[in-house]
Amino acid sequence: MRASWGTAIIYLLMTFVQNVTQLIILKMAQGLFVGLMTISGAIVAQIVPKKEVEKSLGLVATTSSISTIIAPVIGSGLVPLVTFRGLVSTSAIILFLNCIFLSKNLPNPKVETKSLDKKPETFKWNLGIFFLLTATFLVQAINNAVSPYIAFFVQEISRNTGGLSIGLSVSATGIMTFLTARSLGKLVDRYSAALILFAMLTLVGFSLFLSSIADSLFIFIMSRAIFGISDAGVNPAIEVQITKMTKPNQLNRSFSYIQSTQSVGVAVGPFIGAFLNTHGGYQLVFSSVSGLYWVLIIAIIVSYLLRRKSD
């Protein structure tokens, strides 16, 4: 609830900013409450029946992915109509109403009181969790490394392209994520989350490689659409898999690690994209991040085989 109230208050304060410095300060303060979606996942994992945890976590992760993609489209459409202050104030009001609803309806299960002399249990790390968190970091870093250059890359491969073509290239990922998220969530519930994760990571690597060699607008849009399909399945599979590898009393900590790696990926991604673009152009951005994904896939396979051997 602290994360929800904090985010709502930050949005409300944004309606009164007078200069860029104040806005930057508030955006930095907003970083203190970025764990809202991750905390939501941890709460869901605790309050739903055990047999429905995977389905529920997949729904939370899918909702988060879709909202991240759709939000810029909604914002770009509303800002000209209601102005930035109007949009932010409306968002703040919606968040405040949501906070009031949650405070009255969110279950508050009793937690067993622990002795103050008892040290908290050490989080149990293994290669599987490490590589899954690395995958979480790469998903966010690559999305934020690639996204700023999509429009420029489209103009490079198709000189006479217009705004519609650029819009299709950017929206293809979101459209396919929206169309396939539900089906992929069901697959995660029905089959092994590890198998779905491997398949989706492989699809990501292939889509980025296809983007790097695209010499026509059609191929590039297809590669972005494939990326959208994989993006819909990666996050739910990662969260479900980490939940399986974590003890129930350490779920909150594991989700906090997920949030931390996501935040680092969001922060580092644009710098990775800028560095690669400066030293090799737009194609190097796609080919390099594709290579990172293939290295990660190999590492996850090795980790999985070592884990099975130890079991």
Side-chain angles (χ1 to χ4, degrees):
M1 289 306 301
R2 285 194 295 269
S4 300
W5 284 108
T7 303
I9 292 172
I10 291 295
Y11 279 162
L12 180 63
L13 292 175
M14 283 183 184
T15 62
F16 302 104
V17 295
Q18 300 298 321
N19 52 57
V20 176
T21 303
Q22 294 176 357
L23 182 60
I24 292 174
I25 292 173
L26 287 176
K27 291 298 291 182
M28 292 175 66
Q30 186 181 353
L32 299 173
F33 308 105
V34 293
L36 180 59
M37 289 305 301
T38 301
I39 295 170
S40 301
I43 294 175
V44 167
Q46 292 178 347
I47 65 177
V48 301
K50 189 174 181 180
K51 63 180 180 180
E52 296 182 4
V53 169
E54 296 179 12
K55 181 179 180 180
S56 302
L57 286 178
L59 182 60
V60 171
T62 300
T63 304
S64 177
S65 299
I66 294 174
S67 62
T68 301
I69 294 167
I70 294 178
V73 178
I74 297 176
S76 61
L78 290 179
V79 167
L81 299 176
V82 299
T83 73
F84 172 77
R85 294 182 190 275
L87 179 61
V88 174
S89 60
T90 303
S91 301
I93 292 172
I94 294 173
L95 280 173
F96 275 118
L97 293 175
N98 184 59
C99 290
I100 294 172
F101 175 81
L102 288 177
S103 63
K104 294 181 178 298
N105 295 277
L106 188 66
N108 187 21
K110 294 182 179 180
V111 180
E112 183 181 351
T113 304
K114 297 182 180 180
S115 173
L116 295 176
D117 298 330
K118 187 177 179 180
K119 294 182 178 179
E121 186 177 354
T122 303
F123 187 79
K124 187 177 180 181
W125 287 92
N126 57 55
L127 281 176
I129 292 178
F130 173 77
F131 286 129
L132 287 172
L133 290 177
T134 303
T136 302
F137 163 77
L138 282 177
V139 168
Q140 295 299 323
I142 288 174
N143 281 341
N144 286 274
V146 168
S147 296
Y149 302 101
I150 291 178
F152 299 108
F153 190 63
V154 170
Q155 291 177 336
E156 183 177 282
I157 61 178
S158 182
R159 298 291 182 182
N160 298 323
T161 188
L164 179 60
S165 299
I166 296 175
L168 285 174
S169 301
V170 174
S171 63
T173 300
I175 292 172
M176 294 308 298
T177 298
F178 178 77
L179 293 176
T180 59
R182 185 177 181 133
S183 300
L184 288 172
K186 290 181 180 179
L187 287 177
V188 172
D189 295 335
R190 184 176 302 178
Y191 302 103
S192 168
L195 178 63
I196 300 302
L197 176 60
F198 172 74
M200 292 301 102
L201 287 176
T202 304
L203 206 58
V204 172
F206 172 74
S207 68
L208 291 170
F209 173 74
L210 190 61
S211 295
S212 68
I213 63 173
D215 57 359
S216 69
L217 186 60
F218 175 76
I219 294 177
F220 184 73
I221 292 177
M222 288 298 297
S223 70
R224 298 305 299 166
I226 294 172
F227 186 88
I229 296 173
S230 59
D231 195 44
V234 167
N235 288 326
I238 287 176
E239 293 197 1
V240 169
Q241 196 64 18
I242 288 182
T243 301
K244 288 181 177 180
M245 296 182 177
T246 307
K247 294 181 179 179
N249 62 340
Q250 294 185 337
L251 275 178
N252 289 337
R253 205 180 308 180
S254 66
F255 276 87
S256 70
Y257 288 140
I258 294 175
Q259 179 62 49
S260 297
T261 53
Q262 287 177 337
S263 300
V264 173
V266 170
V268 172
F271 292 99
I272 295 176
F275 175 81
L276 293 173
N277 179 56
T278 301
H279 289 79
Y282 307 130
Q283 286 187 324
L284 182 63
V285 176
F286 291 99
S287 59
S288 296
V289 295
S290 174
L292 288 175
Y293 256 109
W294 289 113
V295 171
L296 176 64
I297 292 169
I298 295 173
I300 290 178
I301 293 174
V302 172
S303 171
Y304 178 75
L305 293 176
L306 290 175
R307 189 180 172 205
R308 288 198 62 178
K309 186 176 180 181
S310 62
D311 294 339

